[in-house]
Amino acid sequence: MENKGKLRAPVSQKPLVIEKPVDPSYIGGTISIEINEKKVTVPLGTTILDACKMNGITVPTLCHHEDLCVAGVCRVCVVEVEGMRTLQASCAYPITSPIKIKTSTPSVRKARRHIIDLMLSEHYGECYSCLRNGKCELQYLAKEYGVDNFTFGHVEAPRYELDESSYSVIRDMSKCVLCKRCVRTCIDLQEVGVLESVERGHNTRISTFLDKPLLDVICINCGQCINRCPTAALRANDPSDEIWAAIDDPAKHVVIQTAPSPRAAICEEFAMEAGHSLTKELNTALRRIGFDKVFDTNTTADLTIFEEGTELVLRLYKAIVQKEPVALPQFTSCSPGWVKFLEHYYPEQIDNLSTAKSPQQMFGALIKTFYAEKAGVKPEDIVSVAVMPCSAKKYECNRPEMNDSGYKDVDYGLTTRELARMIKEAGINLPEMPKSDFDSPFGEASGAGLIFGATGGVMEAAIRSIYEFITGNKTEDAFANANVTPVRGFEGIKYVELPLGEKFGPVPDVIKHLVPNWDWLKGVTLKVAVAHGTANAKKIMDDIKAGGKFSECHFIEFMACPGGCLGGGGQPIPTTPEIRKKRAQAIYSEDESLQVRKAHDNPNVVKLYEEFFTDGPCGHKSHKLLHTHYVKRGRYIA
Amino acid sequence: MEKKNREGSVIFSPYIKGESIIKAVSLKREDILFELRESKLKGRGGAGFPTATKWTLVAAASAEEKYVVCNADEGEPGTFKDRVLLLEYPELVFDGMVIAGYVIGAKLGIVYLRGEYEYMLKSLEDYLETMRKENLLGKNICGKVDFNFDIKIRLGSGAYVCGEETALIESLEGNRGEARNRPPYPVNTGFMGKPTTVNNVETFASVAHIVIKGGSWYCKHGTDKSTGSKLFSVSGDCDKPGVYELPWGTKISELLKLVEAKDTKAVQVGGASGICIPKSQFERIFGYEDAATGGSIMIFNESRNMLHVLKNFMEFFVEESCGQCTPCRIGNVKLLEGVEMLERHEYTFGYINKLKELGKTMQLSSKCGLGQSSPNAFLSILENFKEEIFNNGGNNGK
């Protein structure tokens, strides 16, 4: 990640990030050092921690996180450096001279144990009643480094009140060990800046602006802080008890839609290595838990391509042919974290957001209308659950405008982690489940919908369809195997130009009533961009404000989370660049294994337009159910 | 600003405003650094880093912008000598800063003034204005072409940790006052990421004299390892508290006599973060080689309860820890709890020994000087006043 290797001690609202030379080629050369009396050579500027890792020596860490800038505050990683009076935090010490390091001396071991003891003395709660039992980094440290009692006591009552105001993130500061990963995530990684240390000394705690509840500050609900919290001080707002109750209620018809990213990551919750999709095993498990129907969110991802793609065409038509003022570039609106980020930080640009709902909310509206009718179930009896890699989806489904079906379109957003717990509670070992398909009437979706889970996926899915719609050629003609690789990968911002050429195909039937032909696109080069993580989004937005190259884009995909949905705030913990890469591989290889890989080839979606949205994409009915509006929130909240 | 009649062989010796600047600009930077090296001047804030080394590093750093920062956050309990310098001898401090600017190649000097000293802000700014009028600040200072330097004053907000140079820099930048990781050091990556020298008020004042009178003259004062003189802020149980200039090497007993202290039981040298010295060690000398101090001397007579003294210090650290790193944030709380256990006679020797070990861990593993020195009082008082503490009221530990 961008912040990796940046060295800055404390965190603050306006961080001055001091570069340290991580790239050895930057200053060049290597340096010989000694670790535990063994001579090794490392690139100049490597931290002691990385040097140890490279040489197979484990140094415990807590505040350190691969995605984040250096803090050096927990002090668990201290080591001895010969000639230095004090122990050095190995995560924060860049090697620039031929030092001699010792990682396990009596004073180092004692210091580590003391530090863990001290953290435990203030860490409220019991391991066995904790959500993170078995997945807690503090618990792990205590176990690995010889802590067998509370040497310095143990706090007996919670020090702080629980903040349960947010639909997405619950803050239990009594469990906080002040590693400040959340602060660094919020300020440096995401550049949202909702969390910061307040007060000092023993009263130091992580808080929000004026100590307001999380719901009332400009939190975008991305949940990246949860993914990086070493303890259970931050967790998602878990609706699984309500969902169990609905499942147990015979009068309720409980349906679940599953997004592409959870299925690519849930294996990690079942002691498997990252990078294995368990799509069809998950379908079976969900039925065994008691869900009445299991649907694929990719269906409405395909639908999103129709709606958002048509909207783009209409905007371009308006701008190029009708010469009317229209907000361009069009921004994607699938990521509720990004949407809220824009509403807070760039409210003047909400017109650029596609009015198309996210796949989750489209599905919600469809389930309580189209599906209810088709299945003969009363919409008020349906409980609609969405399994998402995302904590912001919990907030999204609770937005007051999300009731176009006449009911709350999606009742509960459930994270990957929460679903994994439900599966375990039901006594199911997910990886051993037999495979089964999604339920009709939506069935299986396209690979285009699937890749929504990775950064660049929405753009790739859009290109696979728009390119064919406009040019009449196959995507495969332009991109081998229909893999639009220029928009793939974890680069923070991707920019692609796509010349549309001179020859066009016929306008497809489904949008024929909207544009007569494609001739007006002659000579146009489609300019698109992709950003993931709101810090990168900010760069693009500021460039647009300044009239830079991104202001000339036509279409930009934004995802709030690093890596896109697969790195979402509801995904299994831990998260690292390596893990996110593996999840992406799982998604892309599943895409390649599918027969249908383009949204417009999804027969179920085509049928939806024939049977239900008969006036086509962006038509009257689709506008009522599949499109939404946004709120200019601004940054200053009363 | 009225000068009191103060005696002293170095800092309080006669000095004419601006004279060191006029001399400095006629010299080469290397010559000034040479004199500084000769003087063996060490940082007067307490840490004792050689000033010449620090300035040489900043002077050698290649950067367009560099900064001189004067640490006037005088927050160590029991120290008030910087206040006297700023109020009565601003010419020494500011001239020293201008010389630093000349030597390292900075255009701006910043005084980080303790928040509680706000009352002197106006007079200091007026003083800087007169310096500008006299061309001791501003462009082409004292006729030296292209030597442009100005001084600004910034107020602190009352956090003790901001006396730590990297926390001070963070605070100057508008951030929360928390120490940075080192390395990199401010000499390379300081204020706004630029090479910066942060020196104590008294260090700058010493430099002004060294430039005029030379390094070898300076070395004639003090001891081999601790050259020159030191300002002592003396408070507590004595008849003549106040600021004294004494050469390094002065014995504790000599100082006690000078300030007319009677029935002295203990002397806390170096403020809350310093060490507590019992009567049996009063023949020790002040100096970097023995009882080092940034200037704070607190005298306790026989009527004082050393456990109360210690409790006061520990309460101070619990409150003033920035809360960033674990050993300091929680460790100090545990040490304070230990003191309270001793007060209530509810302790075991086993636990007190564990706390002593914890104190050593805090010294070794805290992120900055605050946490590293906060157990000093605990460790030295428990060591030097065992009898009194553990036999307190005839109650032995349980």
Side-chain angles (χ1 to χ4, degrees):
Chain A
M1 293 308 302
E2 289 241 334
N3 282 291
K4 178 165 164 57
K6 288 186 180 175
L7 194 69
R8 191 168 58 74
V11 271
S12 52
Q13 285 295 340
K14 279 206 167 169
L16 168 84
V17 181
I18 297 151
E19 299 273 354
K20 75 163 187 193
V22 269
D23 178 7
S25 65
Y26 172 68
I27 43 173
T30 55
I31 189 157
S32 291
I33 56 166
E34 254 181 47
I35 307 180
N36 298 342
E37 291 172 352
K38 193 179 139 217
K39 279 212 167 74
V40 298
T41 304
V42 296
L44 207 56
T46 311
T47 62
I48 292 179
L49 179 66
D50 286 340
C52 290
K53 260 189 213 164
M54 285 174 200
N55 291 286
I57 294 157
T58 305
V59 174
T61 57
L62 187 77
C63 70
H64 174 80
H65 193 285
E66 276 193 62
D67 289 333
L68 304 175
C69 68
V70 172
V73 295
C74 77
R75 316 304 287 178
V76 161
C77 72
V78 288
V79 295
E80 246 180 57
V81 175
E82 197 181 279
M84 298 201 77
R85 186 174 52 87
T86 56
L87 301 176
Q88 301 299 312
S90 61
C91 69
Y93 193 108
I95 301 169
T96 52
S97 55
I99 51 174
K100 292 178 180 172
I101 301 157
K102 283 189 177 152
T103 65
S104 180
T105 64
S107 62
V108 166
R109 284 194 302 272
K110 189 166 274 175
R112 274 179 200 159
R113 202 180 287 188
H114 275 147
I115 289 161
I116 298 165
D117 274 332
L118 288 176
M119 285 193 281
L120 287 173
S121 77
E122 303 255 293
H123 176 74
Y124 172 72
E126 309 276 10
C127 284
Y128 33 79
S129 62
C130 181
L131 196 64
R132 289 286 292 269
N133 190 358
K135 283 214 153 195
C136 168
E137 292 180 46
L138 183 60
Q139 189 186 42
Y140 174 82
L141 286 177
K143 184 183 109 198
E144 291 292 306
Y145 293 91
V147 174
D148 54 3
N149 66 340
F150 294 125
T151 310
F152 301 113
H154 188 54
V155 61
E156 276 167 16
R159 289 181 70 194
Y160 305 108
E161 243 175 76
L162 210 58
D163 178 1
E164 294 181 288
S165 61
S166 164
Y167 291 106
S168 300
V169 183
I170 292 180
R171 301 173 61 240
D172 184 358
M173 288 302 102
S174 300
K175 288 185 172 166
C176 175
V177 291
L178 287 164
C179 68
K180 295 204 192 180
R181 282 190 193 168
C182 57
V183 175
R184 284 174 285 151
T185 302
C186 200
I187 294 177
D188 296 332
L189 186 72
Q190 291 291 70
E191 292 192 18
V192 174
V194 160
L195 300 173
E196 176 59 298
S197 307
V198 299
E199 304 221 11
R200 100 189 155 197
H202 192 224
N203 295 325
T204 309
R205 63 182 199 284
I206 308 300
S207 190
T208 56
F209 179 64
L210 295 178
D211 273 335
K212 285 174 185 284
L214 204 55
L215 183 68
D216 295 342
V217 294
I218 57 171
C219 172
I220 63 166
N221 304 307
C222 69
Q224 290 300 308
C225 53
I226 303 177
N227 285 3
R228 288 168 183 80
C229 179
T231 69
L234 293 167
R235 58 185 156 95
N237 199 337
D238 183 359
S240 53
D241 281 345
E242 287 96 318
I243 296 170
W244 280 122
I247 289 172
D248 294 339
D249 183 347
K252 294 289 179 198
H253 184 75
V254 189
V255 303
I256 188 162
Q257 52 163 312
T258 73
S261 289
R263 65 186 73 157
I266 199 164
C267 64
E268 296 160 33
E269 293 282 349
F270 291 87
M272 285 174 76
E273 229 186 89
H276 296 275
S277 280
L278 293 175
T279 312
K280 296 197 167 179
E281 291 85 345
L282 188 60
N283 290 346
T284 313
L286 290 170
R287 287 192 190 93
R288 291 206 186 167
I289 285 178
F291 288 100
D292 295 301
K293 294 285 173 189
V294 181
F295 298 136
D296 189 351
T297 307
N298 301 354
T299 305
T300 40
D302 288 339
L303 200 57
T304 300
I305 292 302
F306 272 86
E307 294 295 331
E308 213 162 293
T310 305
E311 187 186 351
L312 177 63
V313 166
L314 287 175
R315 284 191 199 218
L316 293 176
Y317 190 66
K318 232 183 192 174
I320 296 171
V321 181
Q322 298 168 327
K323 313 265 182 222
E324 281 178 40
V326 59
L328 277 172
Q330 178 176 303
F331 302 154
T332 61
S333 58
C334 316
S335 164
W338 149 247
V339 168
K340 194 154 183 272
F341 180 81
L342 183 102
E343 289 176 329
H344 283 306
Y345 277 86
Y346 301 93
E348 67 284 358
Q349 263 167 307
I350 60 169
D351 289 339
N352 293 62
L353 269 180
S354 163
T355 59
K357 285 182 185 171
S358 69
Q360 163 179 292
Q361 292 307 128
M362 282 194 184
F363 223 143
L366 266 184
I367 284 168
K368 292 194 180 177
T369 55
F370 171 78
Y371 169 75
E373 200 183 304
K374 202 144 187 152
V377 188
K378 283 192 222 148
E380 61 263 39
D381 289 338
I382 296 178
V383 173
S384 179
V385 180
V387 177
M388 293 287 147
C390 183
S391 51
K393 290 283 173 193
K394 294 170 186 286
Y395 172 83
E396 187 187 29
C397 75
N398 282 296
R399 287 177 74 119
E401 64 272 21
M402 292 297 181
N403 57 359
D404 292 326
S405 62
Y407 304 88
K408 192 178 171 194
D409 291 336
V410 172
D411 292 288
Y412 303 110
L414 191 68
T415 65
T416 313
R417 295 188 297 268
E418 290 153 1
L419 177 63
R421 272 199 303 281
M422 287 182 75
I423 294 173
K424 286 177 187 169
E425 196 173 350
I428 294 166
N429 186 13
L430 180 64
E432 287 174 6
M433 280 293 102
K435 296 180 178 188
S436 64
D437 289 327
F438 288 102
D439 284 311
S440 58
F442 302 108
E444 197 169 272
S446 80
L450 182 75
I451 58 173
F452 266 51
T455 168
V458 178
M459 190 54 70
E460 178 165 355
I463 289 173
R464 284 183 192 173
S465 287
I466 290 175
Y467 184 79
E468 297 200 356
F469 272 17
I470 294 176
T471 64
N473 299 327
K474 287 271 156 206
T475 310
E476 285 82 345
D477 299 341
F479 301 97
N481 209 14
N483 292 336
V484 189
T485 46
V487 296
R488 291 188 184 183
F490 288 149
E491 210 180 312
I493 294 171
K494 288 157 278 186
Y495 173 83
V496 178
E497 293 189 358
L498 199 67
L500 293 175
E502 303 289 323
K503 280 172 133 186
F504 300 112
V507 177
D509 290 345
V510 71
I511 53 168
K512 215 168 190 169
H513 58 293
L514 297 173
V515 283
N517 56 53
W518 297 121
D519 293 342
W520 51 280
L521 283 172
K522 238 175 214 164
V524 169
T525 295
L526 202 61
K527 293 175 184 168
V528 302
V530 174
H532 62 116
T534 40
N536 291 317
K538 211 172 204 171
K539 283 185 197 135
I540 290 193
M541 293 306 295
D542 291 340
D543 179 84
I544 290 175
K545 259 189 168 172
K549 91 171 173 185
F550 293 105
S551 65
E552 285 167 20
C553 275
H554 300 111
F555 192 32
I556 306 181
E557 177 201 302
F558 289 101
M559 291 293 157
C561 295
C565 304
L566 56 84
Q571 290 284 68
I573 298 169
T575 182
T576 64
E578 196 54 36
I579 290 173
R580 293 195 290 275
K581 215 174 179 178
K582 285 184 178 163
R583 291 175 188 162
Q585 278 161 5
I587 287 176
Y588 285 120
S589 62
E590 195 178 347
D591 164 47
E592 289 217 57
S593 75
L594 292 175
Q595 288 290 318
V596 179
R597 295 183 58 213
K598 293 162 194 164
H600 58 277
D601 290 342
N602 179 342
N604 301 307
V605 170
V606 174
K607 219 160 89 191
L608 263 179
Y609 283 110
E610 286 165 7
E611 288 180 13
F612 194 64
F613 298 111
T614 45
D615 51 354
C618 297
H620 182 70
K621 196 161 185 180
S622 100
H623 254 293
K624 181 173 171 343
L625 290 179
L626 306 182
H627 289 254
T628 185
H629 57 271
Y630 305 101
V631 184
K632 286 187 180 178
R633 293 175 201 273
R635 287 164 69 175
Y636 305 100
I637 295 176
Chain B
M1 275 160 278
E2 208 178 308
K3 266 192 183 66
K4 285 185 186 161
N5 191 18
R6 294 185 186 276
E7 285 173 27
S9 51
V10 178
I11 289 173
F12 293 149
S13 67
Y15 179 82
I16 303 160
K17 177 185 185 184
E19 64 171 322
S20 64
I21 301 179
I22 295 166
K23 183 169 177 193
V25 296
S26 72
L27 298 170
K28 283 200 228 144
R29 291 165 177 182
E30 299 77 43
D31 297 337
I32 299 171
L33 283 172
F34 178 81
E35 287 301 326
L36 270 183
R37 213 168 296 129
E38 284 284 293
S39 76
K40 298 190 219 162
L41 174 65
K42 289 182 179 177
R44 291 298 192 243
F49 190 80
T51 306
T53 309
K54 193 183 269 187
W55 288 15
T56 306
L57 287 168
V58 184
S62 56
E64 281 283 299
E65 283 167 60
K66 295 177 185 179
Y67 296 97
V68 174
V69 174
C70 173
N71 185 347
D73 193 42
E74 192 167 45
E76 188 63 52
T79 168
F80 39 85
K81 45 106 186 165
D82 293 344
R83 181 177 72 198
V84 166
L85 281 176
L86 288 165
L87 277 176
E88 299 176 28
Y89 301 83
E91 67 276 16
L92 286 173
V93 182
F94 293 141
D95 289 3
M97 286 180 73
V98 175
I99 293 163
Y102 178 70
V103 170
I104 68 164
K107 290 188 181 65
L108 182 65
I110 305 167
V111 179
Y112 188 86
L113 187 65
R114 178 182 178 157
E116 289 86 340
Y117 291 172
E118 192 182 355
Y119 68 89
M120 59 172 89
L121 182 64
K122 171 98 182 35
S123 62
L124 289 177
E125 274 177 345
D126 289 348
Y127 192 87
L128 289 174
E129 200 47 47
T130 66
M131 285 179 73
R132 284 182 199 109
K133 282 185 187 137
E134 294 161 21
N135 194 219
L136 296 170
L137 282 177
K139 294 209 163 132
N140 303 325
I141 291 171
C142 296
K144 182 75 179 177
V145 179
D146 285 341
F147 175 42
N148 309 324
F149 187 79
D150 204 351
I151 295 174
K152 283 182 187 171
I153 304 174
R154 289 278 173 276
L155 277 175
S157 298
Y160 171 71
V161 71
C162 289
E164 197 279 342
E165 60 175 0
T166 60
L168 184 153
I169 290 170
E170 281 292 314
S171 173
L172 270 185
E173 290 178 1
N175 300 331
R176 195 178 150 84
E178 289 181 342
R180 291 177 175 175
N181 290 302
R182 308 179 328 156
Y185 297 92
V187 290
N188 292 315
T189 312
F191 180 60
M192 304 310 282
K194 306 288 183 219
T196 303
T197 177
V198 184
N199 298 98
N200 179 260
V201 171
E202 189 183 337
T203 310
F204 286 119
S206 307
V207 167
H209 283 292
I210 291 168
V211 166
I212 292 295
K213 292 161 196 155
S216 49
W217 165 82
Y218 191 79
C219 283
K220 283 180 192 149
H221 306 85
T223 69
D224 267 2
K225 285 185 177 156
S226 312
T227 56
S229 68
K230 180 79 192 84
L231 296 188
F232 292 89
S233 314
V234 185
S235 62
D237 298 318
C238 64
D239 288 347
K240 290 185 174 172
V243 172
Y244 292 83
E245 181 181 353
L246 296 170
W248 283 120
T250 304
K251 283 180 185 169
I252 295 173
S253 58
E254 287 168 353
L255 180 123
L256 290 173
K257 202 171 159 196
L258 185 69
V259 301
E260 296 178 16
K262 288 173 202 86
D263 295 333
T264 306
K265 173 159 84 177
V267 178
Q268 178 77 14
V269 178
S273 63
I275 50 168
C276 196
I277 293 178
K279 203 186 235 169
S280 59
Q281 298 176 21
F282 283 175
E283 292 309 299
R284 287 174 68 177
I285 59 161
F286 294 113
Y288 296 106
E289 62 269 46
D290 190 359
T293 173
S296 168
I297 305 294
M298 286 183 250
I299 301 169
F300 301 102
N301 69 19
E302 292 291 349
S303 73
R304 305 290 166 182
N305 178 333
M306 292 317 287
L307 209 49
H308 288 174
V309 170
L310 175 56
K311 189 179 178 187
N312 191 293
F313 289 147
M314 291 323 301
E315 283 171 343
F316 173 79
F317 285 119
V318 167
E319 189 174 321
E320 291 296 344
S321 162
C322 81
Q324 186 184 193
C325 76
T326 317
C328 177
R329 180 183 68 245
I330 313 178
N332 280 308
V333 174
K334 297 299 160 191
L335 298 191
L336 175 62
E337 284 171 6
V339 175
E340 287 163 349
M341 285 175 190
L342 287 166
E343 263 187 347
R344 296 192 309 266
H345 313 299
E346 290 172 9
Y347 63 91
T348 62
F349 284 111
Y351 188 65
I352 296 301
N353 284 336
K354 274 191 183 142
L355 289 180
K356 283 187 191 168
E357 284 184 11
L358 174 64
K360 282 173 201 150
T361 287
M362 290 164 66
Q363 288 176 326
L364 284 175
S365 66
S366 293
K367 185 166 178 177
C368 79
L370 197 169
Q372 288 162 12
S373 57
S374 62
N376 289 353
F378 183 89
L379 294 174
S380 62
I381 290 180
L382 250 52
E383 179 60 32
N384 294 332
F385 301 91
K386 268 185 225 149
E387 296 272 299
E388 177 187 331
I389 287 167
F390 293 102
N391 297 324
N392 199 346
N395 285 308
N396 286 315
K398 285 171 197 164

